[in-house]
Amino acid sequence: MTLLLEKEFGADRIEKLRAIGLWEADANFSFKVLFAHRMMRRADEQGLLPHEQFARRGRTPNDGTLCKIWHWDYHRTMHINHACVEADLGDCYDAVNHLVLATALRSFGVHENSVKLLLSCLQSMSFYLRSGFGISEDAISADNALPFMGVGQGCTAAPPGSLLL
C-alpha cells in the first residue's frame, strides 16, 4: 500500500505529496536485518565503505558538513581550484535500476537468495493508494517484462541499497 503524506503542512497538490510504501511488517523487518544490519556491518568491518561516506554508524550529519567546510576552506586558502557537486537525491529510492542494485548487493557479500527475495517482492507487488479519501479499489502492478524500478520509500532495504550506488 502506498500512503501519500504532505511534505509541507497544507500543501495538498499531488506534486507536493510524498509517497511512502507501507510494507508487510515481517518482510520489512527481514530486509532490515539482512541489509541494514548484516550487510552494512560487514561492509564497515571489511573497509568497503569509503572514508568520505558519512551515512553510516558512528557518524553524524554534522561530520559531513564540517568536512565539506574544511575542504572549501583549505582549497580557498591554498588557492587551489576545486569543484563540489551538491546533487539533490530527492527521488533516489525511485530511480534505482534493479540489475545494478543486485550487482552492488552481491559485491557487498549479500547472499544470492536474499537479493532474489528483495527483487521478487519489488517486482511482483501490487500498489494501492491510500489517502484521506480512503484506499483505492484498483491496484497498479508490474510483470516480469516491465518491472517497476526503484526500491521505494518505506522499505528498510532502500537506504543501504541506495548507499551502495
Side-chain angles (χ1 to χ4, degrees), residues 144-163:
N144 288 336
L146 184 62
F148 285 127
M149 292 300 169
V151 184
Q153 292 190 12
C155 177
T156 53
S162 297
L163 178 78

Side-chain angles (χ1 to χ4, degrees), residues 14-32:
I14 192 71
E15 65 269 10
K16 296 294 184 185
L17 299 176
R18 173 170 290 138
I20 304 292
L22 300 179
W23 284 67
E24 197 274 329
D26 292 334
N28 218 15
F29 180 76
S30 298
F31 294 148
K32 183 177 183 178

Side-chain angles (χ1 to χ4, degrees), residues 32-103:
K32 183 177 183 178
V33 170
L34 291 171
F35 301 107
H37 291 288
R38 290 184 186 170
M39 182 192 72
M40 293 305 294
R41 184 179 62 240
R42 186 182 308 118
D44 203 23
E45 289 170 356
Q46 296 177 355
L48 298 175
L49 297 175
H51 182 70
E52 301 85 23
Q53 179 55 261
F54 293 99
R56 60 179 171 178
R57 183 182 303 240
R59 300 285 180 98
T60 67
N62 293 339
D63 295 339
T65 303
L66 189 59
C67 183
K68 182 174 62 172
I69 291 170
W70 283 343
H71 171 83
W72 287 343
D73 286 347
Y74 173 78
H75 284 82
R76 186 174 48 246
T77 303
M78 301 303 291
H79 303 286
I80 299 172
N81 292 333
H82 72 284
C84 182
V85 175
E86 294 188 8
D88 179 16
L89 300 177
D91 296 327
C92 64
Y93 296 159
D94 301 327
V96 174
N97 185 313
H98 288 174
L99 179 60
V100 175
L101 176 65
T103 305

Side-chain angles (χ1 to χ4, degrees), residues 1-5 19-25 28 125-128 130 135 152-155:
M1 182 177 309
T2 303
L3 173 67
L4 294 177
L5 298 175
I20 304 292
L22 300 179
W23 284 67
E24 197 274 329
N28 218 15
M125 287 175 41
S126 296
F127 296 92
Y128 291 88
R130 183 168 104 185
I135 301 173
Q153 292 190 12
C155 177

